[in-house]
Amino acid sequence: MQTEKILLISPEYPPPFIGGSLVYINNLIENSGLVLSILTEKRNRTSDKKKRYLESEFLVNSQKANNGNMLLMYVFITSYLLINIRKFDLVILNISAIGNGFFAFFLSIFNRKTTIISYAEELTLAMKKPGIKGSLKRLCLKGYKKASMNISISHFAKEYLINNLGVKTPIHVIPTPVHTEKFNIREEISKKSNGILSVGRLVERKGHILVLRAFQKILKLDPLIRLTIVGDGPEYPKIIDYIERNSLGENVRVHRNVSDDFLRAQYREHQIFILANLMLDNGDCEGAPNVLIEAAAYGLPSIAGEEGGTSDVVEHEKSGYLLDPRDIDNLAEVIYDLLSDEEKLQKMSEFAEEKARKDHDKIKAGETFRNHILGCISQ
């Protein structure tokens, strides 16, 4: 029986599952068997034997955040920690670049143990943020060095912590877990059609316009190929406008607000997956995208951008390809060549599914998380 007392501070703890980072932390906790108290925003959640929710209206999620309520949130968390400073053996921080760094530093003053959940895009955005807020974020990032331990979603984030922030305390990489129910494609692989699938929020760093530009070139070689895009976001009007202006409507479909059953069907029916991700000038990038793991679980080889944490998910020339999506000619050539080579497609499909099963199992991830957390407390 667990005797250690653990506090997780996570303003946006699920539900709902919006964003890969929330899916990640929930998977780790749900499969760890750990008993936690969770300080989070007010949603009227029901506590159970494993999770005791400490909800507060002072905690706000990123969609509602402004300078005023963020300041109130940090004052509230500081007050809560001061009152309960000896109550917990470990505090897990899953707040923001500013919050994680600040509270790791604050708790180190009292010799309290902390673990930060580190995401690549959170770090890179903070390092490149301009103005006063950017300076504040970079100042708070120094607090990452004071954490007893970091749990990182990718080796890219780990290397960033070491090389850019000078973190010397332990950093453990736990790959993004995928639910075991995703592994169900073997009996349905014959149903796959000649098509390309891209799933993800429609934002600039996902590179959907780059995919469409490459797809135009592919259509000149094979006018029957289809591209399906599933997602929603601020880039939606731009994507639809591009499709209409270039007369791609017969070959490209864009679906928003889909059901889980619909999404599963898309994974089953397509042959390859593409995420033309890239790092933007402001530092926005991909960590270790869940969609790449889900695609692999369904036996889809993936073509993805080489920047960020995608190399933790896609093994180059084995489960797919990593490349610079800005090179449209090369992107189109790689996609077309893979679709045209049935033997290579089959081998990559099998390797991708096996890699997803081996490296991204949720039970294994939960056990690893538990061992690291309890190990940190016992040191």
Side-chain angles (χ1 to χ4, degrees):
M1 180 179 177
Q2 178 190 330
T3 57
E4 298 85 357
K5 294 183 178 179
I6 304 170
L7 173 67
L8 168 67
I9 304 179
S10 183
E12 300 179 66
Y13 190 78
F17 298 102
I18 301 174
S21 62
L22 296 185
V23 174
Y24 178 71
I25 186 64
N26 182 72
N27 263 323
L28 294 184
I29 289 172
E30 288 289 335
N31 296 288
S32 69
L34 291 171
V35 179
L36 293 95
S37 297
I38 303 175
L39 187 61
T40 187
E41 68 175 332
K42 189 76 173 177
R43 285 188 184 273
N44 298 315
R45 299 171 179 82
T46 303
S47 299
D48 55 37
K49 292 181 179 180
K50 296 293 183 181
K51 297 187 293 295
R52 175 175 171 246
Y53 290 108
L54 308 170
E55 297 187 335
S56 172
E57 294 179 356
F58 287 106
L59 270 74
V60 294
N61 65 48
S62 58
Q63 302 300 317
K64 302 175 183 176
N66 58 52
N67 291 338
N69 57 28
M70 286 291 285
L71 179 60
L72 284 174
M73 179 172 75
Y74 291 140
V75 170
F76 171 80
I77 294 174
T78 301
S79 302
Y80 180 88
L81 290 173
L82 282 172
I83 294 170
N84 298 278
I85 197 72
R86 300 294 172 187
K87 184 176 180 180
F88 298 101
D89 299 303
L90 176 73
V91 178
I92 303 173
L93 301 169
N94 187 52
I95 308 170
S96 66
I98 292 177
N100 292 342
F102 174 78
F103 288 112
F105 174 79
F106 174 75
L107 288 166
S108 72
I109 297 174
F110 300 93
N111 294 316
R112 307 312 294 167
K113 292 183 177 180
T114 56
T115 292
I116 295 177
I117 308 298
S118 301
Y119 306 102
E121 63 273 24
E122 188 173 81
L123 300 172
T124 54
L125 277 168
M127 288 296 286
K128 294 192 176 186
K129 180 77 174 178
I132 296 175
K133 192 169 184 178
S135 298
L136 177 61
K137 284 190 173 186
R138 286 185 286 278
L139 177 63
C140 289
L141 283 179
K142 296 181 184 295
Y144 276 65
K145 294 188 286 187
K146 296 294 185 178
S148 309
M149 177 177 71
N150 274 264
I151 298 291
S152 174
I153 198 169
S154 68
H155 286 88
F156 172 76
K158 177 179 179 177
E159 291 167 6
Y160 202 91
L161 286 167
I162 295 171
N163 298 329
N164 294 76
L165 301 182
V167 174
K168 292 182 171 57
T169 48
I171 305 169
H172 301 291
V173 176
I174 304 179
T176 302
V178 65
H179 291 300
T180 50
E181 57 265 26
K182 299 291 184 182
F183 303 115
N184 62 354
I185 59 96
R186 274 286 165 253
E187 68 278 9
E188 301 182 72
I189 197 167
S190 61
K191 297 180 182 179
K192 290 179 178 290
S193 62
N194 186 26
I196 306 161
L197 176 65
S198 183
V199 178
R201 183 163 166 73
L202 305 183
V203 292
E204 186 180 357
R205 74 166 189 261
K206 305 282 188 182
H208 291 99
I209 296 298
L210 301 179
V211 174
L212 290 170
R213 289 175 59 192
F215 187 70
Q216 281 182 274
K217 294 179 177 294
I218 295 171
L219 281 179
K220 295 177 181 179
L221 302 172
D222 185 346
L224 298 180
I225 290 179
R226 298 288 186 268
L227 167 65
T228 301
I229 298 173
V230 180
D232 198 3
E235 289 277 290
Y236 177 78
K238 185 177 179 180
I239 290 168
I240 295 300
D241 178 65
Y242 190 96
I243 292 170
E244 292 176 350
R245 283 191 294 104
N246 293 279
S247 303
L248 298 175
E250 290 188 10
N251 296 80
V252 181
R253 293 289 182 268
V254 181
H255 302 278
R256 299 191 291 176
N257 303 317
V258 303
S259 67
D260 289 341
D261 287 341
F262 179 88
L263 182 56
R264 282 191 284 268
Q266 300 310 304
Y267 281 125
R268 287 194 297 266
E269 293 167 5
H270 288 78
Q271 286 181 295
I272 67 171
F273 187 88
I274 184 163
L275 181 69
N277 60 287
L278 64 162
M279 183 181 288
L280 304 182
D281 292 340
N282 67 354
D284 196 9
C285 70
E286 291 294 313
N290 285 319
V291 289
L292 291 176
I293 304 167
E294 291 189 355
Y298 280 92
L300 275 73
S302 290
I303 297 169
E306 61 191 358
E307 296 172 310
T310 51
S311 60
D312 278 62
V313 183
V314 179
E315 190 162 343
H316 184 57
E317 296 185 342
K318 289 188 176 181
S319 66
Y321 294 97
L322 296 171
L323 45 70
D324 182 355
R326 300 174 187 84
D327 186 342
I328 302 300
D329 289 336
N330 183 57
L331 177 60
E333 182 180 350
V334 171
I335 294 172
Y336 181 76
D337 286 350
L338 181 55
L339 283 173
S340 303
D341 191 332
E342 291 186 11
E343 183 178 354
K344 181 179 290 186
L345 196 60
Q346 179 67 19
K347 286 182 179 179
M348 283 192 166
S349 172
E350 293 172 359
F351 189 93
E353 187 194 355
E354 181 59 30
K355 177 174 170 57
R357 187 185 300 275
K358 180 181 68 174
D359 295 346
H360 302 281
D361 177 68
K362 65 178 182 178
I363 303 301
K364 180 180 177 181
E367 290 175 350
T368 302
F369 180 70
R370 176 188 178 88
N371 291 338
H372 288 318
I373 292 298
L374 296 182
C376 182
I377 293 172
S378 66
Q379 289 179 350

